[in-house]
Amino acid sequence: MDTALDHPTVQGRAEPGHGNGSAASRDGGVLYLSIAETLARSIRSGAMRRGERVPSVRELARQHGVSLSTATQAYRSLEDARLIEARPRSGYFVAARPRSLPEPDTSRPPAVSTRVDRSALTAEVMRIAEDPGYLSFGAACPAASLFDETKLRRAVARSVQRHRQTLAEYRVGPGHEAVRRAIARHALRLGSVIDPQQLLVTNGCLEAIVLCLRAVTRPGDVVALESPTYFGFFEILEQLHLRALEIPTHPRTGMALDALQLAFDTHAVKAVLTVPTLSNPLGASMPLAERRRLARMAAQRGIPVIEDVIYNDLSEQDDRRRSVHSFDEGGNVMLCGSFTKTLAPGIRLGWMAAGRWHAQVQRMKAATSGGQSTVLELAMAELLGQTGIESGYRRLRATIAARVDEAREIVAQSFPRGTRVTDPPGGFILWAEFPEGVDTLELWRRCLDERICFAPGNMFSASDRFGRFARFGVGGRWDDAQRAALRRIGELATRMLAGGGRAGAADA
């Protein structure tokens, strides 16, 4: 079955000419993607229902003031994403969407802080997830095929050619000025106005988070964070000897701020670590009003909020890309990000704006890892400054949205009755809750026998409250073998639920 990834439009085919070229000159020459994304939001929100007729190509062109070829490209993009379908001699209609599935409820973590120890399970799962001999849903990483490798290679090659002398130089400092200016411009997309002099370039987003935590906590301190949350955060807390206080989190709206306020009142919370946009693994996105409220809560208490914005550019909702940092007026929000999920996974550069802790974090950065590769910094500066970057994000969002929709349909068809699964507004992660009777750690072990891997739910909490949950990443390889593997996970879970004992290869 074709996916949006397989279509030449998504692989980077240029939009056909428009005679006067006016449409092609807007937004990097990919106006059709802007039109397609607007219609996609209407379809996914339910404003346009399945089976409903959409405007004809001619009507769409007239509504948006574009050429017929631009309107046609927009509809092709929506067809690739399986959002509309063409019917002979009838026109275009909203396609049948994946069947409605219930979502998990708001989490209910323990109301006490917990010492973290999840390293053994995490290390084993991630080792297997990276093994090419497995059909894996274990990692939350995008495949190389989702990116324009030629563009990345050329940017790095030009940087080496133009700045080859830097390969023989040992540099330290906050990062090359060119890349810090480029990151500051990128931050405007998040609503954040940052002086480039207040930015630090890091070795990935996780280093930025580690530096922030080291600056504002001491061993034994309590850090509040979403529940469930990214297992890498627990690894960091364990290494820094910090205690995790998990806050109830809704799969659509994110961290419950009333519960966070109660935590402030009853615990000596020293920092909040949060992913307000497309949190991992829930895919939750905090409403704009709640982001403003969180910034206000941080200011009132003087408690630092460490905000991870690594997924913001994958959000299908414009307002949910805005950072909590954009509402911060006192330097209490520490902003951390990178481009490993959206632009250049292999250029492992992160960045941070540490607010009122900037000087302290800069000293720590210099003392621990020094500087980065200037050649890679300048390559990233070029990539961030190229025209068409927004159209690249749109292509990526459209491709992974089609995958997520298809994966949810497989869950609906193949997983046990009563399974709940998230419906994230962007990103490539699904969080599933199985019915009582399914232990996902045991399911994981059974899947390993068939060379299939996913991430069991207990990786994403310092407690054992997510033993019936699992995370599935669909950003990597996606083909018929992967689809069959996802169906097989559902079959094995169904057998487990039925008490059918250990499923073997003969049951396939």
Side-chain angles (χ1 to χ4, degrees), residues 348-366:
R348 300 302 297 270
L349 291 181
W351 57 274
M352 61 187 301
R356 56 192 179 93
W357 294 275
H358 171 76
Q360 185 177 353
V361 168
Q362 186 168 5
R363 288 194 300 272
M364 287 183 176
K365 175 70 171 68

Side-chain angles (χ1 to χ4, degrees), residues 81-348:
R82 296 181 176 83
L83 293 175
I84 66 172
E85 58 189 12
R87 299 179 185 174
R89 295 183 298 276
S90 298
Y92 289 96
F93 293 80
V94 177
R97 303 284 296 129
R99 68 188 70 183
S100 178
L101 291 165
E103 290 183 296
D105 293 327
T106 300
S107 63
R108 292 178 174 81
V112 295
S113 63
T114 309
R115 187 176 64 84
V116 177
D117 183 9
R118 288 288 163 195
S119 298
L121 175 61
T122 296
E124 181 68 3
V125 172
M126 295 314 296
R127 180 188 67 79
I128 295 170
E130 296 299 320
D131 188 329
Y134 285 80
L135 294 165
S136 179
F137 304 93
C141 300
S145 57
L146 293 172
F147 300 92
D148 187 339
E149 294 181 53
T150 300
K151 178 185 290 187
L152 299 178
R153 176 176 52 80
R154 287 174 177 170
V156 173
R158 280 192 293 267
S159 182
V160 171
Q161 179 65 30
R162 295 169 182 171
H163 310 285
R164 54 186 177 275
Q165 78 284 352
T166 65
L167 295 171
E169 296 174 352
Y170 185 87
R171 293 199 174 193
V172 296
H176 195 282
E177 184 179 357
V179 74
R180 286 187 289 139
R181 287 199 307 266
I183 293 170
R185 289 192 297 270
H186 170 81
L188 293 172
R189 298 167 46 83
L190 314 177
S192 292
V193 179
I194 305 173
D195 183 344
Q197 300 304 313
Q198 297 298 306
L199 282 167
L200 296 176
V201 182
T202 61
N203 295 292
C205 187
L206 286 182
E207 185 189 33
I209 290 171
V210 169
L211 290 169
C212 288
L213 284 169
R214 287 181 56 203
V216 300
T217 64
R218 298 294 178 267
D221 282 349
V222 175
V223 177
L225 69 175
E226 287 113 349
S227 180
T229 196
Y230 172 51
F231 58 80
F233 292 167
F234 291 114
E235 293 261 291
I236 292 171
L237 297 185
E238 182 179 358
Q239 292 298 318
L240 297 180
H241 304 288
L242 299 170
R243 298 179 66 85
L245 179 59
E246 299 182 46
I247 305 300
T249 305
H250 188 277
R252 281 190 178 272
T253 57
M255 183 184 287
L257 295 192
D258 287 344
L260 180 63
Q261 185 66 59
L262 179 62
F264 286 171
D265 295 337
T266 56
H267 295 75
V269 175
K270 297 299 183 182
V272 177
L273 175 55
T274 180
V275 187
T277 298
L278 300 177
S279 65
N280 181 356
L282 283 176
S285 288
M286 186 180 287
L288 209 59
E290 294 291 89
R291 296 173 192 240
R292 183 182 289 106
R293 180 186 174 192
L294 179 55
R296 187 166 58 245
M297 288 169 61
Q300 291 169 348
R301 296 277 184 152
I303 296 176
V305 171
I306 303 169
E307 181 183 11
D308 182 343
V309 294
I310 194 170
Y311 291 109
N312 285 45
D313 286 313
L314 296 182
S315 174
E316 297 171 356
Q317 301 166 312
D318 294 344
D319 61 327
R320 303 298 169 91
R321 296 182 202 134
R322 183 167 176 178
S323 66
V324 174
H325 176 274
S326 67
F327 297 106
D328 176 40
E329 297 179 354
N332 295 292
V333 179
M334 308 170 81
L335 198 62
C336 303
S338 83
F339 305 97
T340 56
K341 310 292 185 182
T342 55
L343 186 61
I347 302 180
R348 300 302 297 270

Side-chain angles (χ1 to χ4, degrees), residues 11 39 41 80 109 119 130 134 137 224 258 270 283 292 342 366 396 401 403 410 429 434 440 450 460 493 502 507:
Q11 291 283 12
L39 290 170
R41 283 198 297 266
D80 290 339
S119 298
E130 296 299 320
Y134 285 80
F137 304 93
D258 287 344
K270 297 299 183 182
R292 183 182 289 106
T342 55
L396 183 58
R403 289 188 183 191
I410 292 173
I429 299 170
F434 290 85
T440 54
E450 303 193 18
F460 301 90
R502 189 170 180 81
D507 301 313

